[in-house]
């Protein structure tokens, strides 16, 4: 028991030391902590469509940010619990709901029914069982481009996340919002134009092909809020023009052959199982 206690205490210090080191580096580089960024490179239908850059709100949700950052960098390697690689690379966007969210991050089953966090111990040294507790973030689901944790109830955050494509205030207090898209929102909005099944599964594959953390020196030191895009304008078609051509080009070669096989595939293809991690469409849905 004393040995186990020692291990838990050491894990607390490791977590704190990592946080202190990160903040010290940010201070030395003259970059505010709240300007750390991670990124996803996406493919749609097998064709690369670009990069989405997200700003982490460390001051609001440090555990969510640390977990997400680790899953972006893959620094934790293979999980001792599931045997799966704790990284978002090659994971799909398994659910798309127009005028609501896109959801992904299932590093275990890759279909929305599982997931695992990259944090082995909580700050108190207690071993986690693949998930961690909610955080009291003041960031609201008030615009497109908010990045938040998906869950199956209170304190069940793992690796699954969702990105809003419209204001979703009914999720405030139920899901922890920890990041905001700084560039590439048009790619997320383009995903909502893809046909989906009854359970929201895209009929065209969407994968994270590469992800990681941007060096602090690459983060802008200007007023971020002043440079934020007009999210209401982002909902209009003109903002999608930059990605529309690449998405259309990715889908067009496969559409003709796919149409002739659609009926047979729908009969044979097993529908994505509705998951407890599916984010509620509105406040009347049960969790």
């Amino acid at each position: 028991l004393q040995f186990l206690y020692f291990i838990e205490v050491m894990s607390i210090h490791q977590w704190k030391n990592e946080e202190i080191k990160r903040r010290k580096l940010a201070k030395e580089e003259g970059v505010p902590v709240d300007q750390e960024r991670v990124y996803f490179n996406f493919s749609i239908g097998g064709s690369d469509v670009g990069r989405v850059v997200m700003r982490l709100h460390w001051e609001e949700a440090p555990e969510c940010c640390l977990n997400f950052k680790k899953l972006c960098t893959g620094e934790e390697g293979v999980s001792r619990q599931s045997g799966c690689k704790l990284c978002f690379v090659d994971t799909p966007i398994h659910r798309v709901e127009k005028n609501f969210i896109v959801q992904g991050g299932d590093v275990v089953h890759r279909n929305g029914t599982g997931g695992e966090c990259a944090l082995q111990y909580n700050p108190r040294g207690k071993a986690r069982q693949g998930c961690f507790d909610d955080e009291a973030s003041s960031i609201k689901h008030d615009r497109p481009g908010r990045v938040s944790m998906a869950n199956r109830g209170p304190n069940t955050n793992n690796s699954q996340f969702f990105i809003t494509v419209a204001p979703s205030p009914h999720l405030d207090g139920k899901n922890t919002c920890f990041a905001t898209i700084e560039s590439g929102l048009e790619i997320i909005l383009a995903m909502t134009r893809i046909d989906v099944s009854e359970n929201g599964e895209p009929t065209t594959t969407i994968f994270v092909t590469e992800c990681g953390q941007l060096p602090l020196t690459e983060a802008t030191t200007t007023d971020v809020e002043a440079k934020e895009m007009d999210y209401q304008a982002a909902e209009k078609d003109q903002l999608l023009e930059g990605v529309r051509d690449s998405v259309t080009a990715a889908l067009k070669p496969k559409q003709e052959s796919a149409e002739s096989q659609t009926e047979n595939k729908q009969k044979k293809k097993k529908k994505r199982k509705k998951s407890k991690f599916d984010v509620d469409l509105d406040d009347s849905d049960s969790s």
Side-chain angles (χ1 to χ4, degrees), residues 203-245:
T203 57
T204 301
T205 58
I206 307 173
F207 282 100
V208 177
T209 58
E210 185 182 348
C211 57
Q213 180 183 18
L214 294 176
L216 290 173
T217 53
E218 291 186 15
T220 177
T221 57
T222 58
D223 185 4
V224 177
E225 296 299 327
K227 296 186 68 176
E228 281 188 344
M229 66 175 61
D230 183 350
Y231 286 95
Q232 292 181 348
E235 295 178 288
K236 300 179 181 180
D237 287 342
Q238 60 264 31
L239 194 63
L240 297 177
E241 289 177 359
V243 168
R244 180 173 290 137
D245 291 342

Side-chain angles (χ1 to χ4, degrees), residues 2 47 56 59 73 85 111 114-116 123 141 158 192 194 207 224 269:
Q2 290 181 344
S47 298
L56 300 175
E59 299 297 333
T73 61
K85 187 175 181 180
N111 60 7
E116 183 178 352
H141 302 82
N158 54 25
T192 64
I194 297 174
F207 282 100
V224 177
K269 183 179 178 181

Side-chain angles (χ1 to χ4, degrees), residues 42 44 49 52 96-102 143-146 163-167 181 183-194 206 229-241 243-244 247:
F42 281 107
I44 298 179
V49 294
V52 174
V96 174
E97 298 289 352
K98 190 175 182 180
N99 299 321
F100 183 38
I101 62 165
V102 300
R143 63 179 63 178
R146 295 297 197 193
I163 301 172
T164 60
V165 296
I181 289 182
S183 65
L185 179 60
E186 65 275 11
I187 296 174
I188 302 301
L189 296 177
M191 295 176 187
T192 64
R193 300 174 55 241
I194 297 174
I206 307 173
M229 66 175 61
D230 183 350
Y231 286 95
Q232 292 181 348
E235 295 178 288
K236 300 179 181 180
D237 287 342
Q238 60 264 31
L239 194 63
L240 297 177
E241 289 177 359
V243 168
R244 180 173 290 137
V247 173

Side-chain angles (χ1 to χ4, degrees), residues 85-109:
K85 187 175 181 180
L86 296 173
C87 185
F88 288 132
V89 172
D90 294 331
T91 59
I93 295 296
H94 62 264
R95 183 185 178 209
V96 174
E97 298 289 352
K98 190 175 182 180
N99 299 321
F100 183 38
I101 62 165
V102 300
Q103 185 173 340
D106 184 351
V107 299
V108 178
H109 301 305

Side-chain angles (χ1 to χ4, degrees), residues 76 89 175 271:
E76 291 300 308
V89 172
N175 301 82
K271 292 182 179 179

